[in-house]
Amino acid sequence: MWPPVLHGGPVKALARVGLTNRERQVLRLVVEGCGNQQIAERLTISKRTVETHVSTLLRKYGVDDRRTLTAALGPATFRASLSHELRASDGSVETQSRVAHLVGRHLAVHRSYYQEFDHEADVTIIHRDYADGVKPIAGAYTLSHYVGEPVAQAMRTGEPLVVSDSSALVPKIATAWHSLSIRAAMMAPNLRDGACVAGLAVTSTSPREWTMDDVTLLVETAERTWDRVERIRLEAELGEVGRSFRALADAVPCLVWQTDAGGAVVFGSRALLDFTGLTPETVRTVDWRKIARPTPGAPDPAEHLRDDTWQGRLELRRHDGTWQQFDAGVSPRRDDVGAQVGHLWVVHRS
């Protein structure tokens, strides 16, 4: 894959601005370090016209000189802003939207978006997109209508897609792209287990020669963003598992609690709270030994918790201070690598 290229530079937040196609072209060359004469020669326009465009860009971005403009739009600024956006977002769609807007502004494109692929259903979904001067295209699309070579190759290999002019694609795909005002595009695919599950794309309404820096930045951004999206979704899934466990624990006719590796209670079922008189808040400050003890003459479970499981008799302290006997079963709780992180206690009357 494309290696990240890191550059230094000051950080400056920029507001969203509307640019003409020519202003986009001039802006990219300014950021690349080209002088006015170089820009004029590359775009086949007069130097005076370039000066006018540069002045307009400075005014639109609210900066005093091209050095400040270049620094504000440089890779270091972008990466700092990306880190901020990834930290600030707490939803998978929100993350995709924030990054799409950031990339769209930085690369001065007409449209930027994340798309997720459902190959079995032949569907690609764009939850939200950044659109500047074009109509937003968020929605679901038939995947095969828009994917041909070299797009399919990029999705198979995970290598970035770079299209300078979509007119060079096969007529069917070119027509579909043109219907969405896409004449140039880049996409950085995200592969998981050999399948392309998503991709970060940017598009332009006119042909554009993408630079290696453009490609590198897009690939790096896609990798960091999808890692964040997957982490958010995993946390939500684990949270749902936790909620399901709590609902189940509250529904069974047993007293259930979980402890951490040090023996502190981290969760108590409704039946446990009703029996002990504790609340969801106060139960979290209690060591299990404050609410449970071995019956007289029975082994102390604390001496056996290194085993995989433990079963025996316990006495539990009722909210009125009396102690009552129960049958108990204790199982270890382990993390993803098998390390013991606590125990699950299930207690019921015999």
Side-chain angles (χ1 to χ4, degrees):
M1 295 297 289
W2 303 87
V5 180
L6 303 178
H7 302 274
V11 176
K12 179 180 175 66
L14 295 175
R16 178 177 176 176
V17 299
L19 302 177
T20 66
N21 287 338
R22 182 63 81 187
E23 287 169 351
R24 294 173 198 278
Q25 295 172 339
V26 173
L27 177 61
R28 293 309 301 163
L29 294 175
V30 168
V31 173
E32 289 174 15
C34 296
N36 289 348
Q37 185 60 45
Q38 290 176 292
I39 297 174
E41 293 172 356
R42 291 180 62 173
L43 298 181
T44 320
I45 57 178
S46 70
K47 183 178 178 181
R48 184 64 176 269
T49 300
V50 174
E51 292 171 351
T52 300
H53 285 310
V54 171
S55 296
T56 301
L57 289 169
L58 296 179
R59 176 177 54 80
K60 286 187 174 183
Y61 279 99
V63 295
D64 296 329
D65 52 54
R66 62 194 299 150
R67 179 179 179 181
T68 304
L69 180 63
T70 299
L73 290 175
T77 297
F78 175 83
R79 289 182 173 89
S81 298
L82 176 63
S83 296
H84 170 77
E85 296 295 348
L86 293 178
R87 288 194 302 268
S89 59
D90 55 8
S92 61
V93 173
E94 178 193 0
T95 300
Q96 295 177 44
S97 177
R98 283 174 176 261
V99 171
H101 280 69
L102 186 66
V103 171
R105 292 193 299 268
H106 179 77
L107 293 180
V109 295
H110 292 96
R111 191 182 284 121
S112 176
Y113 52 88
Y114 239 108
Q115 53 186 332
E116 297 191 51
F117 304 112
D118 185 336
H119 298 279
E120 184 175 345
D122 192 30
V123 170
T124 178
I125 299 175
I126 302 172
H127 296 291
R128 298 176 191 167
D129 61 330
Y130 165 86
D132 186 2
V134 292
K135 181 180 179 180
I137 59 172
Y141 296 85
T142 301
L143 186 58
S144 56
H145 288 178
Y146 299 91
V147 173
E149 298 296 344
V151 185
Q153 179 181 354
M155 295 175 68
R156 287 193 304 267
T157 64
E159 292 298 318
L161 169 73
V162 181
V163 177
S164 298
D165 189 345
S166 59
S167 297
L169 301 176
V170 297
K172 173 188 173 182
I173 303 301
T175 299
W177 283 31
H178 291 173
S179 69
L180 298 177
S181 301
I182 300 175
R183 285 294 303 275
M186 289 194 301
M187 183 186 73
N190 295 113
L191 267 62
R192 293 296 184 269
D193 297 324
C196 185
V197 296
L200 176 59
V202 294
T203 70
S204 173
T205 61
S206 59
R208 173 168 168 172
E209 293 297 328
W210 307 99
T211 68
M212 183 63 73
D213 284 345
D214 293 338
V215 179
T216 300
L217 181 139
L218 193 71
V219 170
E220 179 188 344
T221 302
E223 291 173 348
R224 292 183 60 188
T225 302
W226 200 247
D227 284 345
R228 174 60 177 161
V229 168
E230 290 183 319
R231 187 161 59 252
I232 289 173
R233 290 178 175 175
L234 177 60
E235 290 171 353
E237 183 179 337
L238 293 176
E240 183 58 37
V241 170
R243 287 189 289 272
S244 297
F245 168 77
R246 286 166 172 75
L248 177 62
D250 285 341
V252 297
C254 301
L255 283 66
V256 180
W257 70 91
Q258 289 179 318
T259 58
D260 62 18
V265 178
V266 295
F267 165 76
S269 68
R270 175 52 56 189
L272 177 72
L273 301 182
D274 290 343
F275 182 83
T276 60
L278 296 169
T279 67
E281 292 73 28
T282 57
V283 75
R284 291 178 178 272
T285 66
V286 173
D287 188 284
W288 71 267
R289 300 170 186 84
K290 300 294 184 181
I291 60 174
R293 67 186 185 188
T295 56
D300 186 344
E303 299 176 359
H304 299 272
L305 290 184
R306 295 187 185 90
D307 299 334
D308 287 342
T309 59
W310 179 88
Q311 291 184 345
R313 296 278 291 173
L314 287 176
E315 290 186 343
L316 265 65
R317 188 182 65 186
R318 195 168 179 266
H319 57 78
D320 60 4
T322 61
W323 292 81
Q324 298 185 12
Q325 291 193 8
F326 291 83
D327 289 327
V330 187
S331 301
R333 297 170 53 230
R334 301 185 185 279
D335 60 18
D336 292 340
V337 296
Q340 192 175 108
V341 295
H343 291 86
L344 171 65
W345 300 69
V346 180
V347 178
H348 59 89
R349 295 187 185 277
S350 56

